[in-house]
Amino acid sequence: MHLPKIFVSLGIALQVTVLVYGQNTPASTYQPPVFTDTARMQKLSAAFPVVEKIYKDYAKAHQFPGFTFGIIAEGKLVHSGSFGYTNIENKTPVSTKSVFRIASMTKSLTALAILQLRDAGKLRLDDPAQQYVPSLKEVKYLTKDSPPITIRHLLTHSAGFPEDNPWGDRQLDETDKMLQQMVAQGVSFSNAPGVAYEYSNLGFALLGSIITQVSGKPYQQYIKDNILTPLNMQDTYWEYANVPAKQLAHGYRPAKAGWQEETLLHDGSFGAMGGMISSLEDFSRYMALHLSAWPPRDEEEPAVIRRSSLREMQQPQRISYFNPEYTYPDGQTCAVVGAYGYGLGWVQDCEDRVRVGHSGGLPGFGSNWLILPEYGIGLVCFANLTYAPTSTVNIQVMDTLFALADLLPRVLPVSAILQQRKAQLMKVLPGWQQARESGLFAENFFLDNPLDSLKKLTKEKYAAAGKIVRVQALQAENQLRGFFILEGERKNLRISFTLSPEHTPLIQAFDITLP
């Protein structure tokens, strides 16, 4: 058994330390966070009529020819609605089985396929992309000190390619030969690789080529075999000519005489950046997969991909923007920071709420999906209008659900070791009696916090609070950090503490404040 040096130098009796250590609970005991609101789904359901009106009014105000939306919770599509037409000429009504081109929402499936291949040991994210796309060997970078483009650069829009939305949207049906020839002839760079975020459809088209090269089958077939089929996404296609006519959503743009139909492009080499055609019901299954990654837990892994890889996709990899004056639809100003993960956008706001997802826009179409990982909720909508502004309405609905359904995140149960340390700490406070001898504190603690200073500070805080009338329950911030409130006759005290990373975690930091 290892004894902290401070115990040895002070000659503390071994018997005391053994007694305390012998009562310890293993720090490895883990309980995943859970939803504690038992009426959560009832509150959510009660808000659906309001949500449906928001979507309907928004679609009408923005003159969407056709529109469909869905709410995902509890691992499934729990509410949906559709308005308008997929085919204006034939007056074909939109349904949740109608098939829309979802544009750049495709990118996360491309990224997921890359991580599948990574997990299988067939590639590494930091491999030079030219290892799999030989035409990249001919590329002349912006500077002589530029590093080779890696797969990770492509996944995070940091390969140095210029933003290419208008151009990229017209490349869907280009051949693989054209893509390789274009790269071999030379690519123009806006940045050196690895230094900045800049959205690149070309980068994701190259990821499609990598998937084809590594898997030994066309990108589209790989996605179908390894993602769509396992998720039972039977109404998802690459080639619009294969979609049943009654299901296919036609794309439109406004014209003087009403609507002008956009020409659909066939499947091609740029499909990996935005070519997927899917129904709302199908895509909700894919969203449920992403939601299933949370929280980390001891359960059987999904068949498609490990939960840890899904969570990895959803983490911020490259900062894309910061808006200190962001305004929610209800008028609240709340700073947000945005980043890009792997084929997914990530946003965190001033209230620490995180949302993950992606928009899609092509001539004839606009779409958006987002999930709130800690809240277990997902929103998705499709429209068949050129670059339909669908992100805004999903944010408005998200805002509404927070207000009407009183959405709360999962709560992390207090770990056994954290609870134990609280009980032991309360026996030491407020006078810090036998604190050194208790075996409760880590080696650094009294070096960083002289005992005389701790006694003085604690005495002052307790005096300000008055008689302590109640000790509130411990609230966990993670497995090894938490806080609790002491209710005083005059004021409350907040006690917070952090445990050390040792096999037997001890208190390494302590604070007492007037909240």
Side-chain angles (χ1 to χ4, degrees):
M1 179 180 65
H2 168 72
L3 286 177
K5 296 174 186 175
I6 192 169
F7 291 166
V8 177
S9 64
L10 292 173
I12 301 303
L14 179 62
Q15 182 178 2
V16 174
T17 306
V18 170
L19 178 62
V20 175
Y21 281 8
Q23 297 171 348
N24 284 332
T25 303
S28 59
T29 303
Y30 175 75
Q31 301 176 72
V34 295
F35 293 117
T36 56
D37 185 356
T38 57
R40 176 173 174 270
M41 288 307 299
Q42 291 92 320
K43 292 178 182 177
L44 194 65
S45 298
F48 288 163
V50 177
V51 164
E52 184 150 350
K53 186 175 187 304
I54 290 172
Y55 277 123
K56 188 172 185 177
D57 290 349
Y58 189 87
K60 183 178 179 181
H62 289 80
Q63 297 183 308
F64 294 161
F67 183 75
T68 185
F69 74 88
I71 301 173
I72 292 86
E74 304 296 308
K76 60 186 177 182
L77 183 66
V78 294
H79 188 66
S80 61
S82 303
F83 321 111
Y85 303 106
T86 55
N87 185 320
I88 294 175
E89 183 180 358
N90 296 338
K91 295 289 189 289
T92 306
V94 178
S95 76
T96 55
K97 289 186 177 296
S98 299
V99 176
F100 288 69
R101 192 150 240 163
I102 63 173
S104 288
M105 286 169 54
T106 307
K107 286 182 170 68
S108 68
L109 287 96
T110 301
L112 192 151
I114 288 287
L115 290 192
Q116 283 181 329
L117 294 169
R118 188 277 311 270
D119 291 350
K122 296 183 178 181
L123 57 77
R124 295 177 299 177
L125 299 190
D126 292 316
D127 283 342
Q130 67 185 33
Q131 181 176 330
Y132 308 100
V133 184
S135 57
L136 283 172
K137 295 177 181 178
E138 308 303 319
V139 165
K140 292 184 179 180
Y141 292 105
L142 197 63
T143 64
K144 291 183 179 180
D145 66 353
S146 293
I149 293 170
T150 66
I151 293 174
R152 193 186 305 274
H153 288 149
L154 298 175
L155 284 170
T156 57
H157 295 302
S158 57
F161 300 141
E163 186 277 321
D164 61 356
N165 271 326
W167 174 84
D169 291 349
R170 301 293 182 175
Q171 310 303 313
L172 279 179
D173 60 352
E174 293 290 355
T175 65
D176 292 333
K177 182 178 180 181
M178 170 270 173
L179 175 61
Q180 301 305 326
Q181 286 179 342
M182 185 196 76
V183 174
Q185 288 170 2
V187 178
S188 296
F189 286 86
S190 55
N191 294 292
V195 300
Y197 168 88
E198 190 157 1
Y199 194 84
S200 172
N201 290 301
L202 172 60
F204 269 77
L206 292 172
L207 287 171
S209 293
I210 292 172
I211 292 167
T212 296
Q213 176 67 24
V214 173
S215 69
K217 60 177 66 175
Y219 160 84
Q220 293 88 339
Q221 189 64 45
Y222 178 88
I223 295 292
K224 180 179 180 180
D225 292 347
N226 293 277
I227 301 176
L228 304 183
T229 298
L231 291 178
N232 195 30
M233 295 173 66
Q234 298 180 7
D235 291 325
T236 298
Y237 304 83
W238 293 106
E239 173 53 57
Y240 77 84
N242 295 332
V243 180
K246 290 185 178 181
Q247 281 186 272
L248 180 65
H250 294 238
Y252 300 91
R253 71 165 59 239
K256 290 183 179 179
W259 299 106
Q260 175 184 326
E261 185 169 345
E262 296 276 17
T263 300
L264 288 169
L265 295 179
H266 289 286
D267 182 34
S269 62
F270 275 68
M273 72 86 180
M276 182 167 283
I277 310 168
S278 187
S279 71
L280 188 129
E281 288 187 15
D282 262 17
F283 200 80
S284 69
R285 296 185 179 96
Y286 177 70
M287 291 173 62
L289 173 69
H290 275 275
L291 282 168
S292 74
W294 301 91
R297 60 198 183 275
D298 296 328
E299 280 183 14
E300 185 177 348
E301 297 278 18
V304 175
I305 193 170
R306 297 187 308 214
R307 287 190 295 272
S308 61
S309 293
L310 289 169
R311 294 192 295 270
E312 183 182 353
M313 287 179 64
Q314 299 171 23
Q315 299 303 303
Q317 303 291 336
R318 178 70 63 170
I319 297 297
S320 55
Y321 69 90
F322 172 63
N323 185 352
E325 301 296 329
Y326 181 82
T327 302
Y328 276 107
D330 66 354
Q332 177 193 6
T333 298
C334 182
V336 299
V337 59
Y340 206 80
Y342 298 148
L344 290 170
W346 173 96
V347 177
Q348 184 168 14
D349 71 10
C350 65
E351 296 183 3
D352 287 335
R353 299 182 301 193
V354 170
R355 63 179 185 268
V356 175
H358 214 289
S359 292
L362 280 171
F365 300 96
S367 54
N368 178 262
W369 71 284
L370 66 85
I371 59 171
L372 301 161
E374 292 300 330
Y375 297 82
I377 301 293
L379 304 173
V380 58
C381 60
F382 303 159
N384 57 342
L385 177 71
T386 295
Y387 302 125
T390 48
S391 302
T392 303
V393 69
N394 269 350
I395 297 299
Q396 185 178 353
V397 168
M398 179 193 79
D399 214 14
T400 301
L401 290 177
F402 274 116
L404 296 185
D406 190 27
L407 290 180
L408 298 172
R410 293 182 182 88
V411 175
L412 181 69
V414 178
S415 65
I417 188 64
L418 207 59
Q419 194 70 265
Q420 181 181 359
R421 292 295 181 243
K422 175 198 173 184
Q424 292 170 324
L425 182 60
M426 285 302 298
K427 292 180 181 179
V428 171
L429 297 177
W432 294 90
Q433 297 93 342
Q434 295 187 311
R436 290 187 184 277
E437 297 84 1
S438 67
L440 178 59
F441 300 95
E443 181 178 352
N444 70 289
F445 188 81
F446 293 111
L447 297 174
D448 297 331
N449 305 277
L451 190 53
D452 288 344
S453 297
L454 282 171
K455 288 181 178 180
K456 180 181 178 183
L457 173 65
T458 307
K459 183 177 180 181
E460 290 174 353
K461 298 299 184 184
Y462 268 72
K467 181 181 178 182
I468 302 302
V469 296
R470 181 170 175 263
V471 180
Q472 292 186 9
L474 182 61
Q475 297 186 50
E477 296 179 52
N478 57 39
Q479 293 296 295
L480 300 176
R481 183 172 64 245
F483 69 91
F484 59 97
I485 302 296
L486 301 180
E487 296 181 14
E489 288 182 331
R490 291 188 293 274
K491 295 181 178 180
N492 291 345
L493 296 177
R494 175 185 165 117
I495 306 290
S496 57
F497 62 98
T498 304
L499 304 185
S500 65
E502 301 165 276
H503 180 267
T504 302
L506 302 172
I507 296 176
Q508 62 166 314
F510 164 89
D511 197 18
I512 179 170
T513 58
L514 295 167

